[in-house]
Amino acid sequence: MNSNFKIYLPIIFALLLAVGVFIGSKLNFSEPVIRFLQSEKKSSDKLNSVLNYIEEEYVDTVNKTLLEEKAIADLLQNLDPHSVYITTKEVQEMREPLEGNFEGIGIEFNIIKDTVRVISVIVGGPSEALGIQAGDKIVKIEGRSAAGVKIKNKDVMGKLRGKGGTKVTVSIKRGNSKRLIDYTITRGTIPIYSVDAAYMLDKKTGYIKVSRFAETTYDEFLGKTSSLRSQGMKNLILDLRGNGGGLLSTAEKICDEFLEKGQVIVYTKGKSHPKETINATNKGMLTDTKLIVLIDESSASASEIVAGAIQDNDRGTIVGRRSFGKGLVQRETMFSDSSAIRLTVARYYTPTGRCIQKSYENGLEDYYSEEYNRYQSGELMHADSIHPEHSGLKYTTPKWKIVYGGGGITPDIFVALDTAGRTSYLTELFVKGTLNQFCFDYTDKNRKAFSKMDMKNFQTSFTINEKMLNDFIFYSEKLGVKSNPKEAKTSKALIKNLLKANIARQIWGNDGFYPILNKEDKTILRSVDIINSQ
């Protein structure tokens, strides 16, 4: 591995882990229980007495509400890594990805060169209905300039999102025209999709990538599997890599499609919550479909429920790397001000009786750094370096396969983290965002030519030639990424594939992006060989 790239790996893992932990702590719970918190046991109310005493006697003025919220958050944090307090403002923000929609104008945007650029228009949203197009520049919002004023993403979202039925005015510059186009957009409900990609890898093998388990995921999944079956799908590769979880009920429904009636999907058990077992019904439509489930170190919670149910019932093959290890069930309880706590009330158990929750006995810092420690120990590179804390906790499936409890789901077939072609130069291109910016600008300049090309034709005939690659390197250098010919050569194949995939994303979204990106994905390529040989 390139030595310079190793220098950047701790930074990359720290960023990924920070994002994963934040999302996991906020989103992963079983189902919301909307009720007001009321004390059922007598208490000395010591906490409230202390807060009142501080408010009255402390040397400086304090905000009791903020102090109270911090005290609750710290209290929950000392229980386990996934019991959390959520402020009133955060509650709705955290629910949107699980509910599968939000209210706004229906665009995806980036701020490029201090200008809000429309990356794509969401199908069925208010902006599409009015004719707003990818490539449009939003230069004014509610009559105020939104270009050249160092506007931030959160500012744009704050102005464009809002309650359904309310209106917002924008002024748009299209192409080279000097005339602005004014739109009054009535905000509406915008869908958030959780099935990122679904297409045929070969004549018999379908591929579906699920990014999270939301309320809409099951219906999305059924729609995609129905389409793939009509195209001849006999095998399925279900990609749960990077999927941090979501709603348990959605994971259960997806498992039900693969399992026979009566087979156990999962059960939960806690001190105050008796054992509750979820079994498969007789409605499964994919019980005869050969199955591989892909997982990695960022697959957590509901993803691990699916992988565990498939593995423990000998229903399919788990491929990839050991999953995150979140086996705790949270229940949401509301306060009267619409803030909430998500308290761990039970543990998940896979059909063989495994609890896959990794240890948090050594504190939060150790818990949060465990994923990076896997890299340091060599686990992400070598199957024989897997040393989870569950050593000795062996369980047996109906077909006498040995599986392990605690510390995540260990795959049946290990595939190492692919570091080929990854250099510090490539890392900097990602950090500075030059790849996405270049692809947007290139697509914007060539929209007329691309409008005459369908996705299949683009995949087979469009190539990233040497001139375009050099143009990208020069473009990146102007944006602050110092040229590094040696590392650019090492990363050449990756850069060319990423350029092509991201240009396709600008035109066709994820439907264009993943089929190109996945052509270089060693885990998927290995999985196709495995499933076709079964």
Side-chain angles (χ1 to χ4, degrees):
M1 187 192 299
N2 184 285
S3 59
N4 289 331
F5 179 58
K6 288 182 179 179
I7 297 171
Y8 286 85
L9 274 168
I11 300 172
I12 298 169
F13 273 92
L15 289 171
L16 289 174
L17 186 58
V19 172
V21 166
F22 175 76
I23 293 173
S25 66
K26 300 294 187 182
L27 294 185
N28 290 329
F29 64 104
S30 55
E31 303 297 331
V33 178
I34 309 302
R35 59 181 183 180
F36 294 124
L37 190 67
Q38 293 180 339
S39 176
E40 296 174 357
K41 297 179 180 180
K42 289 186 177 181
S43 167
S44 62
D45 203 13
K46 189 181 291 185
L47 178 60
N48 197 47
S49 296
V50 170
L51 290 171
N52 288 334
Y53 181 59
I54 291 172
E55 184 180 37
E56 293 171 7
E57 300 292 341
Y58 187 65
V59 63
D60 295 318
T61 301
V62 296
N63 185 320
K64 184 182 176 182
T65 300
L66 293 179
L67 197 64
E68 187 177 58
E69 289 183 343
K70 189 175 188 312
I72 295 170
D74 289 345
L75 176 68
L76 292 170
Q77 190 179 66
N78 282 302
L79 295 175
D80 66 78
H82 301 290
S83 290
V84 294
Y85 171 75
I86 312 169
T87 66
T88 304
K89 182 180 178 182
E90 290 174 329
V91 165
Q92 184 55 38
E93 292 175 359
M94 294 304 105
R95 282 205 184 126
E96 281 176 359
L98 296 178
E99 291 174 349
N101 60 70
F102 66 94
E103 292 183 327
I105 69 170
I107 64 166
E108 292 182 14
F109 69 89
N110 270 345
I111 298 174
I112 301 174
K113 298 176 183 176
D114 208 15
T115 303
V116 182
R117 305 289 294 266
V118 179
I119 300 298
S120 64
V121 182
I122 297 173
V123 175
S127 292
E128 185 201 36
L130 291 175
I132 293 173
Q133 302 172 10
D136 284 349
K137 305 179 185 73
I138 300 178
V139 297
K140 290 183 180 180
I141 303 174
E142 296 290 11
R144 294 190 172 187
S145 180
V149 294
K150 300 188 184 304
I151 197 166
K152 305 295 183 186
N153 278 312
K154 65 177 182 179
D155 299 325
V156 178
M157 291 177 68
K159 293 175 186 294
L160 297 182
R161 283 194 178 190
K163 190 174 181 180
T166 60
K167 299 180 186 296
V168 60
T169 60
V170 299
S171 297
I172 281 175
K173 187 176 187 298
R174 180 167 297 158
N176 295 320
S177 174
K178 294 182 179 179
R179 184 176 68 87
L180 297 183
I181 308 171
D182 295 324
Y183 290 96
T184 299
I185 310 170
T186 301
R187 297 181 179 96
T189 300
I190 312 301
I192 302 174
Y193 298 107
S194 51
V195 176
D196 287 349
Y199 65 97
M200 296 295 290
L201 290 164
D202 59 32
K203 290 183 180 179
K204 295 192 301 181
T205 308
Y207 169 85
I208 295 179
K209 181 173 180 62
V210 179
S211 59
R212 64 185 164 275
F213 292 93
E215 288 180 4
T216 59
T217 305
Y218 177 64
D219 289 337
E220 291 178 53
F221 179 79
L222 286 186
K224 297 299 185 184
T225 52
S226 176
S227 174
L228 294 180
R229 289 174 73 194
S230 71
Q231 297 174 55
M233 182 182 76
K234 305 295 181 186
N235 313 325
L236 174 62
I237 295 174
L238 177 60
D239 193 346
L240 300 182
R241 292 174 299 174
N243 184 322
L247 298 177
L248 174 60
S249 60
T250 300
E252 292 165 358
K253 289 176 184 176
I254 289 177
C255 287
D256 200 0
E257 294 300 322
F258 296 106
L259 299 177
E260 300 287 350
K261 183 179 181 181
Q263 288 184 304
V264 175
I265 295 172
V266 67
Y267 67 88
T268 61
K269 188 170 60 174
K271 180 194 70 178
S272 301
H273 296 267
K275 182 177 178 180
E276 181 180 354
T277 302
I278 306 298
N279 297 94
T281 68
N282 61 358
K283 69 176 183 178
M285 297 173 58
L286 300 168
T287 53
D288 296 325
T289 302
K290 286 199 288 185
L291 177 65
I292 282 180
V293 179
L294 307 185
I295 61 171
D296 65 10
E297 55 281 355
S298 297
S299 304
S301 191
S303 293
E304 296 173 293
I305 297 305
V306 174
I310 297 303
Q311 189 176 53
D312 282 16
N313 285 294
D314 296 302
R315 175 59 186 83
T317 305
I318 311 301
V319 176
R321 296 182 294 280
R322 183 164 62 97
S323 64
F324 182 84
K326 180 186 182 295
L328 301 178
V329 184
Q330 283 73 51
R331 174 166 291 175
E332 180 177 295
T333 304
M334 301 288 292
F335 288 99
S336 58
D337 64 354
S338 295
S339 62
I341 62 170
R342 287 180 183 160
L343 182 69
T344 297
V345 296
R347 289 183 173 85
Y348 297 120
Y349 294 87
T350 68
T352 59
R354 294 186 285 166
C355 178
I356 46 82
Q357 174 64 45
K358 64 183 179 182
S359 173
Y360 49 88
E361 290 181 357
N362 294 326
L364 295 182
E365 185 176 348
D366 182 77
Y367 184 84
Y368 294 153
S369 62
E370 190 268 342
E371 191 174 347
Y372 174 63
N373 291 338
R374 295 187 197 184
Y375 169 76
Q376 290 285 73
S377 69
E379 179 182 330
L380 303 187
M381 306 299 176
H382 309 285
D384 57 6
S385 295
I386 298 177
H387 298 296
E389 64 268 46
H390 58 51
S391 57
L393 297 178
K394 294 182 179 181
Y395 298 79
T396 307
T397 71
K399 292 186 178 179
W400 302 103
K401 179 170 65 180
I402 300 297
V403 292
Y404 297 92
I409 300 291
T410 299
D412 301 310
I413 297 174
F414 174 83
V415 179
L417 179 69
D418 185 10
T419 59
R422 300 186 184 274
T423 61
S424 56
Y425 177 69
L426 183 64
T427 300
E428 193 169 2
L429 292 175
F430 278 112
V431 171
K432 293 285 178 65
T434 63
L435 198 143
N436 283 336
Q437 289 188 42
F438 176 84
C439 291
F440 178 85
D441 285 349
Y442 183 87
T443 306
D444 204 30
K445 291 173 184 175
N446 296 278
R447 286 192 188 278
K448 189 173 182 180
F450 285 133
S451 67
K452 300 175 183 177
M453 188 181 296
D454 63 30
M455 191 165 64
K456 193 169 185 179
N457 183 248
F458 176 89
Q459 290 173 358
T460 56
S461 64
F462 184 83
T463 58
I464 307 296
N465 56 32
E466 290 299 313
K467 180 184 180 306
M468 187 172 173
L469 182 62
N470 290 330
D471 286 346
F472 168 64
I473 291 171
F474 180 67
Y475 178 96
S476 299
E477 193 166 17
K478 288 197 297 183
L479 292 178
V481 180
K482 188 177 179 181
S483 178
N484 188 326
K486 182 179 179 181
E487 292 193 358
K489 184 178 180 181
T490 301
S491 299
K492 182 177 178 178
L494 263 179
I495 293 172
K496 290 176 77 169
N497 190 55
L498 287 166
L499 285 171
K500 183 173 180 177
N502 276 280
I503 289 170
R505 175 177 259 168
Q506 301 295 333
I507 307 165
W508 297 286
N510 284 339
D511 289 340
F513 177 74
Y514 280 103
I516 295 170
L517 186 75
N518 288 346
K519 283 188 175 182
E520 303 294 328
D521 190 314
K522 291 185 179 179
T523 303
I524 293 175
L525 296 176
R526 176 84 184 277
S527 297
V528 172
D529 289 341
I530 293 167
I531 207 164
N532 283 328
S533 66
Q534 290 176 342

